Amino acid sequence: MSHATLADVVRLLDRRYPPATAESWDRVGLVAGDPDQPVRRVLLAVDPVAAVADEAIAWGADLVVVHHPLLLRGVHSVAATTAKGALLHRLTRAGVALYTAHTNADAAVGGVADELARLLGLRDTRPLVPAPAEALDKHVVFVPAADAERLVDALAAAGAGALGEYRRCAWTATGEGTFTPTEDASPAIGRAGEAARVVEARVEMVAPRRLRAAVVAAMRAAHPYEEPAFDVLELARWDGPTGTGRVGHLAEPLTLHAFAERVAEVLPETVQGIRYAGPADATVRTVAVVGGSGDSLFDAVRACAADVYLTADLRHHPASELREQAEFAARGAAASPPYLVDAAHFASEWPWLAGAERDLRADLAAHGTTVETRVSTLRTDPWTGRVPGVPRSTGSEGHHP
């Protein structure tokens, strides 16, 4: 097998985690590196921090793939006088490229949410907030049967006929077309004033709506007729297989406490540990998960009827309001789902790295290239210590919040 270039690896990563699926505020893709440089070693990590750069350089990595962006907000300088600038300079001097897959990796098949759900043993998973599939057109063209293959080639070259991992997908059927050219026409077949009958193929191909103009132009250029007969039909929108978070069910129900213990078993240990909100003995069957900060998605969690929601960075007021609303909706019941399980941000996203490593190696092998990979085991969670709370009296004579 041959070695890959950075351009090869980026192309495969972009295919797994399409940059166009990232949130509008996000910054993903290649951050630094020469597309022509060879890539023999790839390090995968959650955070682009100095310790990860140290590990990459010491190991001799050619590329670091991270989840969190280094340059999320606009910058006007990457001088080494700043922490981020210094990190970029160190990587560049060592010949180490940097690539980010963030919200595009959150939503992808095999991405952050999928790997988290898989580790927890969730079945029959679906997106918590589905991303709509790309808007499609169906192009229907009538062309002399002898020119049908050439027309299909032209439409495919313009981006039509791509369905998943298949290209140049088309359906054709033959029939008889008839027309009468006027005196001002310049027909490719037939003569002015005389009815012509032609064996024609009906060609149907789908294409992204954003490519409509290019596909129609390609059709006109390849079609032998002066005035081609064609239709462009807008297909209905539907939910795609990707989206934010995942919802699934456990093979066997667990108590809330037991589920929190399972979360602690499969995620990296952090100072925060695992917190939960709800009765320890509450029953958990249906689970919603979002890697990283997820308290903006409480409405979707309620709508999906999950028993418990696992995410990170839960804030006091949103979490409290969700629990209050759940209990109010249950007409004053002592406990009502959705319950909450809160993990550290870093820990909830780290499981994706192993899946990303596996998929990258498989994709490269399928293209006849190979790289050595490593998942960083550095704990880049920023918290380094915790002091347990000290029990205090809450009476009027004691200190209390």
Side-chain angles (χ1 to χ4, degrees), residues 1-166:
M1 287 189 175
S2 61
H3 285 297
T5 65
L6 179 58
D8 294 330
V9 179
V10 167
R11 182 171 60 253
L12 294 175
L13 289 170
D14 284 351
R15 187 174 174 183
R16 283 277 177 184
Y17 317 111
T21 64
E23 297 291 338
S24 60
W25 50 263
D26 204 3
R27 298 294 179 267
V28 300
L30 187 63
V31 179
D34 181 351
D36 293 328
Q37 72 183 72
V39 173
R40 299 177 178 85
R41 287 184 168 181
V42 179
L43 178 70
L44 297 99
V46 174
D47 295 297
V49 294
V52 170
D54 291 342
E55 180 181 6
I57 293 169
W59 182 51
D62 303 297
L63 170 64
V64 179
V65 175
V66 293
H67 183 51
H68 291 141
L70 177 67
L71 305 175
L72 180 58
R73 294 176 176 82
V75 297
H76 302 286
S77 170
V78 290
T81 52
T82 65
K84 292 184 177 183
L87 188 149
L88 276 177
H89 278 263
R90 289 187 59 222
L91 291 176
T92 301
R93 282 196 299 268
V96 183
L98 181 64
Y99 178 95
T100 298
H102 191 210
T103 53
N104 49 330
D106 286 334
V109 173
V112 173
D114 266 346
E115 289 299 317
L116 185 55
R118 184 186 64 80
L119 273 183
L120 293 169
L122 300 188
R123 299 181 174 183
D124 303 324
T125 56
R126 64 186 189 278
L128 174 63
V129 181
E134 184 170 21
L136 296 177
D137 290 335
K138 177 181 283 189
H139 293 258
V140 181
V141 186
F142 299 88
V143 63
D147 297 290
E149 289 298 306
R150 185 167 61 87
L151 180 73
V152 170
D153 287 339
L155 296 183
L163 296 173
E165 295 303 313
Y166 296 86

Side-chain angles (χ1 to χ4, degrees), residues 318-391:
S320 177
E321 289 173 5
L322 178 73
R323 297 297 305 130
E324 288 288 301
Q325 290 176 14
E327 292 167 13
F328 176 78
R331 299 299 185 267
S336 178
Y339 311 116
L340 298 173
V341 175
D342 184 36
H345 191 120
F346 156 81
S348 70
E349 295 174 329
W350 187 83
W352 167 66
L353 301 179
E357 178 188 39
R358 177 194 65 234
D359 291 339
L360 178 59
R361 291 173 68 93
D363 290 344
L364 286 165
H367 285 75
T369 57
T370 182
V371 297
E372 187 177 353
T373 58
R374 175 192 287 187
V375 170
S376 175
T377 57
L378 292 174
R379 296 201 190 320
T380 54
D381 184 72
W383 304 107
T384 58
R386 179 170 63 91
V387 177
V390 178

Side-chain angles (χ1 to χ4, degrees), residues 141-143 145 148 170-176 199-204:
V141 186
F142 299 88
V143 63
W171 183 88
T172 61
T174 57
E176 184 179 76
V199 175
E200 292 182 331
R202 174 190 173 107
V203 176
E204 297 187 13

Side-chain angles (χ1 to χ4, degrees), residues 392-395 398-401:
R392 290 185 173 90
S393 168
T394 58
H399 172 75
H400 60 276

